[in-house]
């Protein structure tokens, strides 16, 4: 009777925890001493949350939080290399996927776009190239009258977590800076930063 109770208890625990269980027979004497222990392996929801589709642990969260150079510092470094107006900055994988870098887009002159890579460990510019963009007029119109730069928007959003990207939202009437932050636990959040006041609010569409 007691053996059945042990097995039922272990099975119930496994079903509730979503894991697997193995119950080994116990003696049925009055003292109920177990001959062998019952073991239960429960799943760890926290580990499952930060794994990708292939079942491997997602290292991007760790790389992001451990970046020494902040978004605002990466923007400042890019502007020292190429003067202009920063429209976006994003911490992202390089093409080979082995290293994470800051990618900063700078609009200089009338219509020249520069994509600048910045090392997140020391802030050094790793390289740059020009891009062809067809939304220059739209970006200029969105930034007209703006008093908050991308660097300032990144600093404002930094109070919400580690900023992993800041970008100009120039769609629709309510233009603003958009920023994404990540906390040490891996939780992501999107924010909007007003172009004139610098006020940070949660993105309702997140």
């Amino acid at each position: 009777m007691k053996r059945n109770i042990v097995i039922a208890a272990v099975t119930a625990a496994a079903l509730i925890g979503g894991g697997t269980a193995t119950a080994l027979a116990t003696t049925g004497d009055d003292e109920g001493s177990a001959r062998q222990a019952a073991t239960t392996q429960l799943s760890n929801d926290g580990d499952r949350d930060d794994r990708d589709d292939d079942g491997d642990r997602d290292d991007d969260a760790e790389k992001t939080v451990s970046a020494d150079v902040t978004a605002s510092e990466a923007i400042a470094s890019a502007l020292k290399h190429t003067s202009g107006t920063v429209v976006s900055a994003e911490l992202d994988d390089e093409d080979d996927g082995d290293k994470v870098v800051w990618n900063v887009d700078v609009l200089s002159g009338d219509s020249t776009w520069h994509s600048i890579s910045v090392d997140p460990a020391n802030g050094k510019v790793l390289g740059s190239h020009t891009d062809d963009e067809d939304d220059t007029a739209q970006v200029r119109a969105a930034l007209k009258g703006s008093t908050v730069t991308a660097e300032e928007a990144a600093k404002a959003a930094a109070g919400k977590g580690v900023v992993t990207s800041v970008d100009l939202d120039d769609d629709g009437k309510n233009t603003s800076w958009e920023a994404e932050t990540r906390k040490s636990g891996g939780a992501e959040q999107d924010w909007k930063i007003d172009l004139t006041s610098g006020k940070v609010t949660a993105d309702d569409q997140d």
Side-chain angles (χ1 to χ4, degrees), residues 125-153:
V125 172
L126 301 174
S128 66
H129 63 271
T130 57
D131 286 330
D132 294 326
E133 301 288 347
D134 57 4
D135 61 345
T136 302
Q138 185 176 348
V139 168
R140 292 290 190 195
L143 289 174
K144 186 177 181 180
S146 171
T147 58
V148 177
T149 65
E151 183 178 356
E152 292 169 338

Side-chain angles (χ1 to χ4, degrees), residues 47-59:
D47 288 344
R48 186 169 59 245
D49 289 343
D50 61 358
R51 292 180 183 275
D52 57 23
D53 294 337
D54 295 329
D56 297 327
R57 187 176 298 277
D58 183 5
D59 292 332

Side-chain angles (χ1 to χ4, degrees), residues 1-25:
M1 184 64 176
K2 291 185 178 180
R3 179 177 63 85
N4 294 335
I5 292 175
V6 172
I7 294 175
V10 173
T11 302
L15 291 175
I16 294 172
T20 60
T22 303
L24 302 179

Side-chain angles (χ1 to χ4, degrees), residues 106-124:
V106 179
L107 175 58
S108 64
D110 293 333
S111 59
T112 304
W113 289 84
H114 300 267
S115 180
I116 302 172
S117 299
V118 178
D119 194 320
N122 53 34
K124 292 182 178 180

